[in-house]
Amino acid sequence: MYLNHGPLDPDTFDKADGAWIAFQQPVTEADLAFTARFCPEPIHGFFHGDDELFSCESPGDVYDSIVAHSWGAGEFPVTEEAAAAFSASVEQWVREIHQHTPIAFFMGPGATLGEDPWETWSRQRVGTVVMPWLQQYLAAHPDLPQDDADDDLDWDKPVVPMNRGWLRCPLHEFDVDDVAGLPVDARP
């Protein structure tokens, strides 16, 4: 599954954005470091992850300007051509990650410009793939912290631990207010 696949709508580019990768099988810290190392620059900044989930986000309020400069002719705001070129780079990264460590689903940055068959197919499966995966993930990680404990984090590591607060991002993307079937204390 690849959510937000296809040429991205240049009107959806803002100062910050990110992406999510849910892996089919548990991965190692080396796999997470590999995933982070090849992440496209505009979303290469803040990394959270663990044995099953990885997220990345722009390193500040620079997402749109990096895309405009690096994938376009430096024109600002982001042009349709720059958005399409960046979309292709994200897809190449995702395909390389999937070959290295198979992906259950990917949620990319932005929103697509138009109807994309892979995007449409993926959206139709959110309820049957993403939500059960998330339920299983939360059940397998009962000690997942509520949010970053800054004094406990080693920010020199390429990927800092995942937390429940960070999980609110994909739920917002899917317009999900609740994760059915999970006890209240297990929800992000």
Side-chain angles (χ1 to χ4, degrees):
M1 289 183 49
Y2 190 128
L3 300 155
N4 300 332
H5 177 266
L8 296 176
D9 183 346
D11 293 335
T12 64
F13 281 75
D14 204 350
K15 298 293 180 193
D17 210 333
W20 288 79
I21 298 173
F23 296 102
Q24 287 181 12
Q25 301 294 323
V27 298
T28 66
E29 283 188 33
D31 295 326
L32 291 175
F34 175 88
T35 301
R37 183 176 6 193
F38 297 105
C39 179
E41 183 185 5
I43 55 176
H44 187 282
F46 298 112
F47 300 115
H48 281 80
D50 57 31
D51 63 331
E52 294 185 69
L53 190 60
F54 174 86
S55 71
C56 55
E57 187 173 309
S58 55
D61 293 341
V62 295
Y63 171 67
D64 54 353
S65 61
I66 293 174
V67 171
H69 177 73
S70 299
W71 278 265
E75 301 171 21
F76 196 80
V78 174
T79 63
E80 196 169 310
E81 294 77 21
F86 173 64
S87 300
S89 293
V90 171
E91 181 174 342
Q92 179 182 357
W93 173 60
V94 170
R95 287 181 182 275
E96 289 170 3
I97 298 306
H98 186 66
Q99 287 178 350
H100 183 74
T101 50
I103 294 173
F105 68 88
F106 174 76
M107 183 178 73
T112 57
L113 188 56
E115 291 295 317
D116 176 83
W118 195 356
E119 159 72 4
T120 300
W121 178 86
S122 297
R123 289 275 169 198
Q124 292 168 347
R125 282 152 185 78
V126 167
T128 59
V129 174
V130 176
M131 299 319 289
W133 186 96
L134 184 58
Q135 290 173 338
Q136 173 276 324
Y137 171 79
L138 288 169
H141 296 84
D143 297 330
L144 197 63
Q146 286 298 324
D147 54 26
D148 288 334
D150 290 335
D151 53 337
D152 294 336
L153 291 178
D154 181 358
W155 288 103
D156 292 331
K157 283 188 167 186
V159 181
V160 298
M162 183 57 66
N163 64 66
R164 291 177 186 278
W166 208 245
L167 286 175
R168 290 184 188 101
C169 297
L171 293 177
H172 176 71
E173 170 73 18
F174 304 131
D175 294 324
V176 174
D177 294 326
D178 201 1
V179 182
L182 291 179
V184 172
D185 62 345
R187 296 177 185 154

